[in-house]
Structure formats: structure tokens, C-alpha cells
Amino acid sequence: MFLDIKTKTPRLMHISSKILEPNTENITLCADLLGKGEVVALPTETVYGLAANGLDPIALRKIFEVKGRPLIDPLIIHFKDLDSALPHIQANAHVEALAKAYWPGPLTMVVPKKSSIPDIATACKDSVAIRIPANPIFRAVLKPLAFPLAAPSANPFGYVSPTQAQHVQHTLGSRIQAILDGGEADYGLESTIIDLRPSDALRILRHGPITQEQLEVSLGCPVIDQTTTKSNDRHAQLAPGSLTQHYSPNTQLVLMPLESTRSPKNNTTDAFIFLKKPSNNSITEHTYWLSDSGDLKEIAHNLFGLIQQLDQMQFDRIHIQLAPDTDLGKAINDRIRRAAAKFN
Ligand code: TXA
Ligand code: MG
């Protein structure tokens, strides 16, 4: 069934709900909590973020504690607009060109930072990752604030990123005071990260909704794919959080090649996720798919949600089909391969 699981009921933890409707009162409440140095979960157009004052080292430390994230893994700082980011960074012509093309939106730029950005936000690096989010609820929270918001994905470190408020409630609900509900995240994958620091080349550090091809067209020059670099390369540590193992469910994840068309008939213990709907005679009880048509945007939108849903259902293994390694397929495969890496 396409995202409609009839056979088993997800097992949810019983914790009081922190999920808030995104009305004016709750938006003000979240802005006030952030102003007091607290951490709240907010929707973005990519995935849900765990937000705190990006200029306050004490508030920033709470993000690392809530996520169980190592301090060597720097955060993305979210600004209202490029003008409010400029006092904190060294911009260049590439930043301006990409800001014009993709902001607000799912692109993060790594640029040289100024001293106003606390060391704890950047793992003591002299660069900072910045993004202008498009989600109107996130923007409404940011609007009255005199500071930007640091926000990693709102999942425990290493687990699958949250694309719904319920995902945050389920994993981090007992550790934070509020989760603003923005429904399902539009893209369902984290932002593309590009390193724009002056160097011999521009480098993609994480594939995401804005593709390498799009960036090359906008910049008018080639961009190096840094995401598959071996660890002995001198640029390998550019995105310290881009670990080979990441985004993993608890259930063993097994990769299926792109050519796979059907799940085995007599397997009752495993789930099988296909990109597009298999032919009717190939669908067994535990066959799932991410898009009726195979549309890559829809696949990306549904990917993390379906993995989390099946992770609650006590299958022995979840088998998942890889996407074509082009365009958005690169970001989809990147997440699937990292999610499966800890089981290989
Ligand atoms: O879509 C997104 O980007 C979401 C939403 C909430 O904005 N955020 C997100 O943050 O995915 P996070 O912390 O889960 O991933 C940020 C990545 C990490 O891999 C981190 O290492 C990398 O960005 N990063 C942060 N600052 C960096 C820097 N100065 N240089 C290189 N990589 C950096
Ligand atoms: Mg993350």
C-alpha cells in the first residue's frame, strides 16, 4: 500500500504531546522561548529543525545536548534574508548569484565567518554554513527575533531526519518544550550544501533538492562533487557531519538495485520499498512504494516518512530500491546508502 499501512499499527511512545498548531499565539510563544535561550522544533521546507539562538553559546549547547550530537559537527545558521546575514559573513559574487537564484529555499552556503558567530556553532571552524529558509511558519517565528536561528535536523544524532511534527514528538518530544506543526515538509530531504569559500574550486558537500547541474548553470562554472571523497583526501573533512553512516533506522536496511521489480512471494518477515508502484501481480502484503508514478520529487518527499513508519513495525529487514544516480536521484541515493551503511 502506498503510505497506507493497514497490516500493522505503529508502536508509539506515550509522552504528552508538544505539537502546537502554527497560529499567531503559538508562533509568538515559540519566538519568546527562543528569546529566553530555549530550544524548539520548527518546520522548514526541507525537514524539521531544532532551533535555538544562533548567537548565544549557551542556547547552542542545548541543541547538541538534546540531539546527542558531537560538538565537532557544526550547525547551519538560518537568517531572515541575505542583508541580515552580511554582518556575520564574508560574502562574494558566488554567494550573491546563488542567493538571487535559490533563496529563500533549500540551499546552504559555507562561507568565511566573522567573530559574531560563536565558535560552538561552527565547531571552531573559520567558516559558517548559512541558509535563508522559505517555510512561512519558520519565517514567521524568525521575523520578530533580533538574532538568527541555528537549526540542525530535529532528530537524535544518526537517526532518520523528521519530515512531520509527529516524528519529532516521537523521538525528542520529552526533551523539548514545543514543536510547531507545519504538516509534511515539502522537499523531505535536507538542503544542498555548497562550499563557496575562495579556493581552487567550488564544492558540493551534501546533495539535496538543488542539484549539482542547477548550481553549475547558475554559477556558470563546474562544481566538484565532494560528497564521495575518500577520507585521505585533504578536503574530506570539509563537512564533518557528513558521516558515511547516518540517517539510520533501527531495523536493518538492505539495498535493492534499481532494476528490482518485485518482492519475493513467501517472505512475511521483511518489508520491500520500491520507488514506483510495481505491477499489480507483483504486489505482496509487505510491498510499499514511494510514488505511484516514480516522480523523484514525490519519492524524496515520502522517503524518510515511510522509513520511519516501517521502522515502528518490527520487520526483520526493510529492503529499499536505489534511484537512478542523476539529478535528485543523487540526493535520494545518498540518504539511502548512508542509512544502510551501518548494517553492511
Ligand atoms: O535542510 C537542512 O539543511 C536542515 C534544516 C533544518 O535547515 N538542517 C540540517 O542541519 O540538515 P544538520 O545539522 O542536520 O546538517 C548540517 C550539515 C552537517 O553535515 C554539518 O557538518 C554541515 O552541515 N556543516 C555545518 N557547518 C559547516 C561548515 N562550516 N563547513 C562544512 N560543513 C558544515
Ligand atoms: Mg541532520
Side-chain angles (χ1 to χ4, degrees):
M1 276 280 132
F2 172 47
L3 291 184
D4 173 18
I5 290 156
K6 290 184 177 158
T7 47
K8 293 188 181 181
T9 315
R11 204 171 20 95
L12 292 175
M13 288 193 324
H14 294 286
I15 40 183
S16 64
S17 179
K18 306 283 174 65
I19 298 177
L20 305 177
E21 234 185 277
N23 54 30
T24 314
E25 200 185 347
N26 288 333
I27 286 170
T28 305
L29 173 82
C30 287
D32 287 349
L33 284 169
L34 290 161
K36 289 181 187 144
E38 293 302 330
V39 170
V40 300
L42 301 176
T44 88
E45 68 277 24
T46 56
V47 298
Y48 276 71
L50 193 62
N53 181 343
L55 302 180
D56 175 358
I58 296 169
L60 289 166
R61 183 170 285 274
K62 290 184 190 167
I63 291 182
F64 289 92
E65 286 165 4
V66 169
K67 265 185 77 92
R69 177 174 173 129
L71 289 165
I72 54 161
D73 192 355
L75 304 172
I76 298 175
I77 311 285
H78 300 68
F79 290 90
K80 289 171 202 172
D81 47 37
L82 180 58
D83 278 351
S84 55
L86 288 176
H88 305 281
I89 62 162
Q90 271 167 35
N92 57 39
H94 295 315
V95 174
E96 277 162 32
L98 292 184
K100 209 165 169 197
Y102 300 109
W103 277 352
L107 180 68
T108 294
M109 307 189 202
V110 172
V111 290
K113 83 171 184 90
K114 293 195 178 151
S115 59
S116 51
I117 304 285
D119 283 344
I120 188 171
T122 63
C124 296
K125 288 159 77 68
D126 52 14
S127 61
V128 62
I130 60 166
R131 181 161 104 78
I132 313 298
N135 181 290
I137 300 169
F138 194 105
R139 294 182 67 78
V141 175
L142 201 46
K143 196 171 173 195
L145 300 178
F147 49 82
L149 291 173
S153 50
N155 50 311
F157 182 67
Y159 192 65
V160 186
S161 293
T163 54
Q164 299 168 25
Q166 289 75 8
H167 296 156
V168 187
Q169 164 77 19
H170 180 49
T171 55
L172 299 180
S174 59
R175 298 187 214 166
I176 53 177
Q177 293 185 38
I179 304 161
L180 215 43
D181 192 358
E184 290 185 13
D186 287 345
Y187 293 99
L189 292 182
E190 302 86 346
S191 61
T192 305
I193 305 181
I194 184 166
D195 188 348
L196 294 177
R197 287 174 301 162
S199 158
D200 52 335
L202 306 176
R203 297 165 199 277
I204 291 209
L205 305 186
R206 179 172 72 184
H207 288 296
I210 310 291
T211 65
Q212 182 170 355
E213 293 77 7
Q214 282 177 290
L215 292 169
E216 288 181 335
V217 169
S218 304
L219 290 162
C221 66
V223 175
I224 293 179
D225 181 354
Q226 197 67 40
T227 62
T228 51
T229 314
K230 300 278 178 299
S231 56
N232 58 358
D233 184 288
R234 80 187 168 89
H235 292 289
Q237 293 306 311
L238 285 178
S242 302
L243 304 172
T244 313
Q245 295 179 17
H246 211 30
Y247 316 108
S248 303
N250 298 315
T251 314
Q252 183 180 356
L253 203 62
V254 182
L255 303 180
M256 288 195 289
L258 176 60
E259 305 71 52
S260 316
T261 52
R262 58 166 63 219
S263 36
K265 280 225 163 63
N266 297 320
N267 183 328
T268 54
T269 56
D270 295 5
F272 295 83
I273 303 178
F274 293 90
L275 303 179
K276 66 184 269 194
K277 186 179 179 189
S279 60
N280 282 342
N281 61 358
S282 306
I283 298 174
T284 63
E285 192 190 357
H286 299 314
T287 302
Y288 302 87
W289 55 94
L290 291 159
S291 158
D292 277 348
S293 65
D295 174 63
L296 288 175
K297 278 198 178 131
E298 194 180 10
I299 290 167
H301 174 86
N302 290 326
L303 178 70
F304 286 151
L306 184 56
I307 291 177
Q308 295 198 50
Q309 204 170 346
L310 298 183
D311 200 24
Q312 306 299 315
M313 293 173 54
Q314 297 179 320
F315 286 109
D316 285 355
R317 281 167 294 272
I318 300 168
H319 301 254
I320 184 163
Q321 184 181 23
L322 285 163
D325 246 324
T326 51
D327 296 321
L328 194 53
K330 281 189 194 165
I332 293 168
N333 284 345
D334 169 81
R335 303 308 189 276
I336 294 177
R337 289 200 175 100
R338 286 181 211 275
K342 89 169 180 199
F343 305 106
N344 293 329

